[in-house]
């Protein structure tokens, strides 16, 4: 049903957005301030997960099998719902969260949420069986939402957001299936289906007017799908020897209801000054798909090839916790693991996947921007599919570094040992696609390397185990850079040709470093000396990489600058939407709390306003900005 509804809503988007100079707006600027969703399972993004008595819940496999992380988020689909896709096309957000989800961030509230409930309908009698939230009760949640929104942005701004929000309403199917066709509880009261249609439409009218009274002005109201073609309806009416044909009478009823709805909506709009209420036609697109399925397979494949063709065959990741997507989860002795809450709180399904952040890591974001995949899986994850192997994995390990002495404390997989896993990967890749194709994939893969911070923090600043051997920081820098050079040459020997190597971040501004150097009465200031050391290291790395590239024929090795973008965020936080740059959202870096997040950590209310998620690792917002600043680096690799 999702695909057809996307087609229907395109008309709605054009009518409500394109007519107001949308073409002049920069592509990534939201085309509406927020999106608000009301209805049933076709658009419930997970509210029923938090309803104890709800009969229908999609919080288990195989739901969500095609979502990143295969998260069963509560969506009744293998992936996104059409309201998520519309929100993405409007550049509002990638996923619309359910309002009942605990600890919704201020950002999620401001940009809109979902109030729909699987099993709901306009007729309150529908939920006697399903125990869902009736459509008529969803405005009660909306009122609570408005109260919180006003608390975040103020009353005037809140009403501006609601007035400008795109409102999607989709319900009615359950009313007819449960009350008229399959259980016939309303037939005695409404012996003619046309009478029951009028009753449902009156309930719909009352609901739309209530949304208007609460501030909604731009509304899309979905009609019924070809109800008689739903597999459950065909099965329910199936007799022995009968082929699986659509129930024509139910489809005719849906057509009649939709015609009435199309006439009703303009009348409602005329009675509500300043409103724009559009009919979303889902019946005709779905019926065309049912009659001409091959046409949509072909067009979908063509669109997919045109829009999402990968810019590189695979992505391969090496390094430390900044790019470890979960390998330490499967590394028994590793001291640092992010396999517990609140890590992953902003991933689909709130999955604590092993990523040291509230959401994606920047290597995931890069993989998505390159149209390779949404999430890069860790190589040590059991039962990796062939498709995951072919498109690339991460070999990184949290707590790792170029200096093997770093791992004496962290028990991580040293960067120098990660090529051993890579060799196993190559063997499996060859088994899947053959030796020639495997080497073509590796030669063309984008290779990201990010490490070094742990080496300096653990071996030189906080536990100066290397100072006796390297009394000058410049000497230790040279040692680490030599190890890095050897590592890159080994990757080259194994077939890697397009490599991006990250420099050091402003280490002296990590919350943990500020805390460790904190003295009573001193404000939380960055450690300038450590930042200067990082800048010097980065300058040496900039000069080293071209020399390495020149020694490796056919290679393209680019420097990934993370220092300058992060320093700009620290100096100009408001430009990036940050309100806090010296403390973590959880595991704040205060002496009395853990450096990492744990189940007892106090979590900040708005994750996107914090530059760091814990006292060491950037937040999803920071990683997003860093990924955005690396486009030129990637272009150099992809043009090679």
């Amino acid at each position: 049903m999702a695909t057809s509804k996307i087609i229907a809503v395109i008309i709605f988007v054009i009518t409500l957005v394109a007519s107001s100079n949308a073409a002049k707006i920069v592509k990534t600027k939201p085309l509406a301030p927020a999106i608000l969703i009301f209805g049933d399972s076709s658009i419930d993004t997970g509210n029923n997960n938090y309803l104890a008595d709800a009969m229908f819940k999609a919080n288990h496999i195989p739901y969500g099998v095609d979502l990143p992380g295969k998260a069963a988020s509560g969506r009744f689909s293998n992936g996104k719902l059409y309201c998520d896709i519309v929100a993405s096309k409007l550049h509002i957000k990638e996923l619309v969260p359910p309002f009942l989800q605990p600890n919704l961030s201020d950002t999620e509230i401001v940009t809109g949420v979902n109030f729909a409930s699987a099993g709901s309908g306009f007729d309150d009698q529908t939920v006697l069986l399903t125990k869902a939230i009736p459509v008529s009760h969803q405005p009660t949640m909306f009122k609570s939402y408005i109260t919180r929104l006003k608390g975040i942005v103020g009353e005037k701004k809140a009403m501006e957001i609601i007035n400008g929000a795109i409102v999607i309403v989709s319900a009615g199917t359950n009313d007819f299936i449960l009350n008229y066709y399959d259980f016939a509880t309303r037939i005695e009261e409404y012996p003619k289906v046309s009478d029951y249609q009028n009753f449902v439409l009156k309930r719909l009218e009352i609901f739309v007017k209530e949304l208007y009274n609460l501030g909604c002005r731009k509304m899309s109201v979905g009609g019924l799908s070809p109800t008689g073609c739903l597999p459950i309806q065909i099965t329910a009416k199936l007799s022995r020897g009968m082929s699986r044909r659509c129930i024509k009478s139910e489809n005719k009823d849906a057509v009649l209801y939709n015609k009435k709805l199309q006439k009703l909506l303009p009348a409602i709009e005329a009675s509500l000054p300043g409103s724009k209420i559009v009919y979303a036609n889902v019946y005709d697109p779905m019926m065309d798909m049912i009659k001409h399925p091959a046409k949509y397979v072909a067009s979908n494949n063509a669109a997919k090839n045109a829009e999402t063709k990968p810019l590189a065959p695979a992505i391969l990741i090496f390094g430390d916790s900044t790019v470890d997507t979960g390998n330490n989860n499967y590394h028994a002795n590793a001291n640092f693991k992010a396999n517990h809450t609140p890590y992953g709180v902003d991933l689909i399904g709130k999955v604590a996947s092993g990523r040291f952040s509230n959401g994606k890591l920047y290597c995931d974001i890069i993989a998505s921007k390159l149209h390779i995949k949404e999430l890069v899986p860790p190589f040590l994850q059991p039962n990796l599919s062939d498709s995951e192997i072919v498109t690339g994995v991460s070999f990184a390990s949290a707590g790792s570094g170029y200096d093997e002495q770093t791992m004496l404390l962290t028990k991580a997989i040293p960067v120098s040992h990660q090529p051993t896993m890579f060799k196993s990967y190559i063997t499996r890749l060859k088994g899947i696609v053959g030796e020639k194709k495997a080497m073509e994939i590796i030669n063309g893969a984008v290779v990201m390397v990010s490490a070094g911070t742990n080496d300096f923090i653990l071996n030189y600043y906080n536990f100066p185990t290397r100072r006796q051997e390297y009394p000058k920081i410049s000497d230790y820098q040279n040692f680490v850079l030599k190890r890095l050079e050897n590592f890159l040459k080994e990757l080259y020997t194994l077939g890697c040709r397009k490599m991006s190597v990250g420099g050091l971040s402003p280490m002296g501004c990590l919350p943990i470093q500020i805390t460790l150097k904190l003295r009573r009465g001193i404000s939380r200031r960055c450690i300038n000396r450590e930042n200067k050391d990082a800048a010097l290291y980065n300058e040496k790395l900039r000069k080293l990489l071209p020399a390495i590239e020149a020694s490796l024929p056919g290679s393209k090795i680019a420097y990934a600058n993370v220092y300058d973008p992060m320093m700009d965020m620290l100096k100009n936080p408001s430009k990036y939407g940050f309100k806090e740059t010296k403390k973590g959202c959880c595991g704040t870096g205060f002496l009395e709390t853990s450096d990492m997040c744990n189940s007892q950590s106090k979590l900040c209310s708005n994750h996107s306003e914090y530059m760091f998620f814990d006292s060491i690792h950037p937040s999803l917002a920071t990683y997003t900005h860093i990924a955005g600043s690396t486009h030129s680096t990637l272009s150099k690799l992809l043009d090679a």
Side-chain angles (χ1 to χ4, degrees):
M1 188 180 295
T3 303
S4 63
K5 289 195 173 184
I6 296 167
I7 296 171
V9 171
I10 288 174
I11 300 171
F12 168 66
V13 173
I14 292 172
T15 304
L16 297 187
V17 181
S19 60
S20 57
N21 297 323
K24 297 178 183 178
I25 301 174
V26 178
K27 286 185 178 180
T28 56
K29 184 178 180 181
L31 300 179
I35 188 166
L36 302 168
I37 313 294
F38 302 86
D40 58 22
S41 60
S42 62
I43 48 176
D44 177 3
T45 58
N47 281 305
N48 275 24
N49 287 356
Y50 310 102
L51 290 180
D53 297 329
M55 176 173 288
F56 302 120
K57 297 183 181 183
N59 58 353
H60 53 82
I61 55 173
Y63 289 112
V65 67
D66 292 320
L67 282 173
K70 301 184 184 297
S73 61
R75 291 165 170 81
F76 284 84
S77 178
N78 53 309
K80 288 183 175 183
L81 300 185
Y82 92 96
C83 57
D84 297 310
I85 300 169
V86 169
S88 177
K89 287 182 178 292
L90 294 176
H91 307 300
I92 298 172
K93 56 176 73 183
E94 285 302 307
L95 295 167
V96 185
F99 179 66
L100 295 183
Q101 178 179 305
N103 302 319
L104 274 178
S105 69
D106 289 350
T107 301
E108 292 285 28
I109 290 291
V110 170
T111 53
V113 296
N114 188 308
F115 305 96
S117 176
S120 188
F122 293 112
D123 183 351
D124 286 355
Q125 186 165 304
T126 299
V127 300
L128 295 179
L129 173 65
T130 66
K131 307 299 181 184
I133 304 168
V135 171
S136 63
H137 290 196
Q138 291 172 22
T140 301
M141 294 193 291
F142 185 34
K143 290 173 185 176
S144 297
Y145 164 87
I146 293 171
T147 299
R148 181 169 172 192
L149 181 62
K150 287 179 178 178
I152 298 170
V153 299
E155 186 166 358
K156 181 181 178 181
K157 181 65 175 176
M159 294 317 299
E160 288 176 359
I161 290 171
I162 294 169
N163 292 163
I166 298 299
V167 179
I168 295 179
V169 179
S170 177
T173 300
N174 294 322
D175 295 322
F176 288 91
I177 288 178
L178 297 178
N179 298 327
Y180 213 84
Y181 300 134
D182 296 356
F183 297 97
T185 56
R186 285 291 196 183
I187 284 186
E188 185 174 348
E189 187 176 358
Y190 302 100
K192 294 181 179 179
V193 71
S194 61
D195 294 334
Y196 185 61
Q197 290 172 345
N198 295 340
F199 166 75
V200 171
L201 288 168
K202 185 61 181 178
R203 300 285 293 174
L204 182 155
E205 180 179 1
I206 293 169
F207 173 73
V208 169
K209 288 182 176 179
E210 185 169 8
L211 292 187
Y212 176 85
N213 290 335
L214 292 172
C216 299
R217 294 296 180 267
K218 300 177 178 180
M219 294 180 260
S220 165
V221 181
L224 297 181
S225 65
T227 313
C229 292
L230 296 179
I232 190 173
Q233 293 307 96
I234 295 174
T235 298
K237 309 301 188 297
L238 197 64
S239 299
R240 183 169 296 180
M242 183 190 220
S243 62
R244 292 189 63 85
R245 296 174 183 169
C246 296
I247 314 304
K248 290 183 179 180
S249 61
E250 295 183 7
N251 283 349
K252 287 181 180 179
D253 292 343
V255 170
L256 178 59
Y257 173 92
N258 290 341
K259 286 181 179 179
K260 291 180 178 181
L261 178 59
Q262 289 179 72
K263 292 180 181 179
L264 175 63
L265 293 180
I268 299 175
E269 179 182 291
S271 71
L272 304 176
S275 69
K276 189 69 179 177
I277 305 174
V278 179
Y279 169 71
N281 180 7
V282 300
Y283 186 98
D284 292 334
M286 284 193 74
M287 187 54 76
D288 196 55
M289 293 178 201
I290 291 167
K291 292 180 178 179
H292 310 288
K295 181 172 76 173
Y296 290 90
V297 172
S299 62
N300 286 343
N301 287 341
K304 186 175 181 180
N305 291 335
E307 294 178 12
T308 61
K309 185 177 180 180
L311 301 180
I315 188 166
L316 302 168
I317 313 295
F318 301 86
D320 57 22
S321 58
T322 57
V323 286
D324 178 3
T325 59
N327 282 304
N328 274 23
N329 287 357
Y330 311 103
H331 188 47
N333 297 324
N335 284 335
F336 301 117
K337 298 183 180 183
N339 58 352
H340 53 81
T341 58
Y343 289 112
V345 67
D346 292 318
L347 281 174
I348 295 174
K350 297 180 179 293
V351 180
S353 61
R355 291 166 170 81
F356 285 84
S357 182
N358 52 309
K360 289 183 175 183
L361 301 185
Y362 98 99
C363 58
D364 296 310
I365 300 170
I366 293 297
S368 178
K369 286 179 177 291
L370 295 177
H371 306 303
I372 298 172
K373 56 177 71 184
E374 285 300 308
L375 292 170
V376 183
F379 178 65
L380 295 183
Q381 177 181 307
N383 302 318
L384 274 178
S385 68
D386 288 352
S387 62
E388 291 284 27
I389 289 292
V390 170
T391 53
V393 298
S394 173
F395 305 94
S397 175
S400 189
Y402 298 111
D403 183 351
E404 292 192 10
Q405 188 163 303
T406 300
M407 277 58 67
L408 295 179
L409 173 64
T410 67
K411 308 299 182 184
I413 304 167
V415 171
S416 62
H417 290 195
Q418 290 171 23
T420 301
M421 293 194 291
F422 185 34
K423 291 174 185 176
S424 297
Y425 165 87
I426 294 171
T427 299
R428 181 169 172 189
L429 181 63
K430 288 179 178 178
I432 298 169
V433 299
E435 185 167 358
K436 181 180 178 181
K437 181 65 176 177
M439 294 317 299
E440 288 176 358
I441 290 172
I442 294 169
N443 291 164
V446 168
V447 179
M448 297 179 67
V449 180
S450 177
T453 300
N454 293 322
D455 295 321
F456 289 92
I457 287 179
L458 296 179
N459 298 328
Y460 213 85
Y461 300 133
N462 300 351
F463 304 95
T465 54
R466 284 292 196 184
R467 283 195 181 179
Q468 186 173 353
E469 188 176 358
Y470 302 99
K472 294 180 180 180
I473 186 68
S474 60
D475 294 334
Y476 185 60
Q477 290 172 343
N478 295 339
F479 166 76
V480 171
L481 288 167
K482 186 62 180 176
R483 301 284 294 173
L484 182 155
E485 180 178 1
N486 293 339
F487 173 72
L488 295 182
K489 289 182 176 179
E490 184 169 8
L491 291 187
Y492 177 85
T493 301
L494 293 171
C496 299
R497 293 296 180 268
K498 300 178 179 181
M499 295 180 263
S500 166
V501 183
L504 298 180
S505 65
M507 295 183 294
C509 294
L510 297 180
I512 189 174
Q513 294 306 95
I514 295 174
T515 295
L516 289 172
K517 310 302 188 300
L518 196 63
R519 297 292 183 269
R520 186 171 295 180
I522 296 178
S523 62
R524 292 186 66 84
R525 297 175 183 169
C526 296
I527 315 304
N528 289 333
R529 176 176 56 83
E530 295 181 8
N531 283 348
K532 287 181 180 178
D533 292 344
L536 177 60
Y537 172 92
N538 290 341
E539 189 57 35
K540 290 180 177 180
L541 179 59
R542 284 178 189 267
K543 294 178 180 178
L544 175 63
L545 293 180
I548 298 175
E549 179 182 292
S551 71
L552 304 175
S555 70
K556 192 69 178 177
I557 306 175
Y559 169 71
N561 182 4
V562 299
Y563 185 98
D564 291 335
M566 289 188 71
M567 188 57 77
D568 194 55
M569 293 177 211
L570 289 159
K571 291 179 178 178
N572 306 291
S574 60
K575 185 169 79 172
Y576 298 89
F578 294 131
K579 291 184 177 178
E580 180 55 71
T581 61
K582 302 297 177 62
K583 302 173 187 175
C585 176
C586 70
T588 61
F590 285 124
L591 291 171
E592 66 270 18
T593 61
S594 170
D595 299 327
M596 304 294 185
C597 299
N598 56 56
S599 57
Q600 283 73 48
S601 297
K602 183 178 179 180
L603 194 65
C604 67
S605 61
N606 193 333
H607 316 153
S608 64
E609 293 180 350
Y610 277 67
M611 185 173 171
F612 294 95
F613 190 61
D614 59 24
S615 68
I616 300 172
H617 303 97
S619 64
L620 169 61
T622 301
Y623 278 132
T624 301
H625 292 310
I626 292 173
S629 70
T630 58
H631 274 151
S632 59
T633 300
L634 292 172
S635 296
K636 292 176 184 176
L637 296 180
L638 296 173
D639 290 342

